[in-house]
Amino acid sequence: MVLPVLEQLDLDAVVARVDLDAAVARVDLDAAADRVDVRRIADRVDIDAIVARIDLVTITEQVLREIDLSRVVRETSGGMAEESVNAVRVQAMHADRLVNRAADRLLRRRGNGTPPELPGLGPPGPDPPPGPGPPVPKDDAPP
């Protein structure tokens, strides 16, 4: 008996009279979301198909337009150059000290750069003035 009544019912006319906004407003969306199994949905997602649809070239171009890549490279290389110069400077200072110590040992100098006293000669005096050196030939002199 119910079946003949449903067959005679114009369901489209009934649904057209329903206020769907009011019906949806009565739904507790938080409770509905709590019932969703997100892992089960994620297991059904084909990640490879999604990645294949991504236009990486366009995304890369957009990212490069957003950042000033030349400025980043300039700042990075400038910082690296400054660090390199400082490192070379420090290495040169260490090498200079090493050469000074080696010269001090070879010349038997004490830590202050003065040569030691030699037995029987007394303390070292000042360096003698430079001599005249070898003769310089003149252009007008006969050979």
Side-chain angles (χ1 to χ4, degrees):
M1 179 163 347
V2 173
L3 232 36
V5 171
L6 285 177
E7 289 176 4
Q8 294 177 1
L9 186 65
D10 184 5
L11 193 55
D12 288 333
V14 172
V15 170
R17 296 182 67 189
V18 173
D19 183 3
L20 289 178
D21 289 332
V24 171
R26 294 176 59 191
V27 175
D28 184 0
L29 293 177
D30 289 329
D34 287 342
R35 294 176 56 196
V36 173
D37 186 358
V38 176
R39 288 180 196 251
R40 187 170 168 205
I41 294 170
D43 288 341
R44 299 172 113 192
V45 174
D46 185 2
I47 298 294
D48 292 330
I50 293 172
V51 171
R53 293 176 61 188
I54 296 173
D55 185 3
L56 291 176
V57 172
T58 303
I59 292 172
T60 303
E61 288 172 350
Q62 289 173 347
V63 168
L64 290 175
R65 274 195 301 268
E66 290 294 321
I67 62 172
D68 185 1
L69 188 59
S70 61
R71 179 185 55 81
V72 171
V73 169
R74 200 170 43 248
E75 288 176 0
T76 303
S77 61
M80 288 174 29
E82 184 177 337
E83 288 177 21
S84 298
V85 167
N86 287 341
V88 168
R89 201 175 282 146
V90 168
Q91 287 179 347
M93 289 174 16
H94 288 298
D96 189 43
R97 286 187 191 136
L98 182 65
V99 168
N100 283 340
R101 278 189 292 192
D104 287 346
R105 284 186 182 162
L106 285 172
L107 299 174
R108 303 177 76 195
R109 286 189 242 171
R110 293 183 204 99
N112 60 5
T114 59
E117 291 184 28
L118 296 175
L121 297 178
D127 289 337
V136 178
K138 296 184 180 180
D139 291 336
D140 59 345

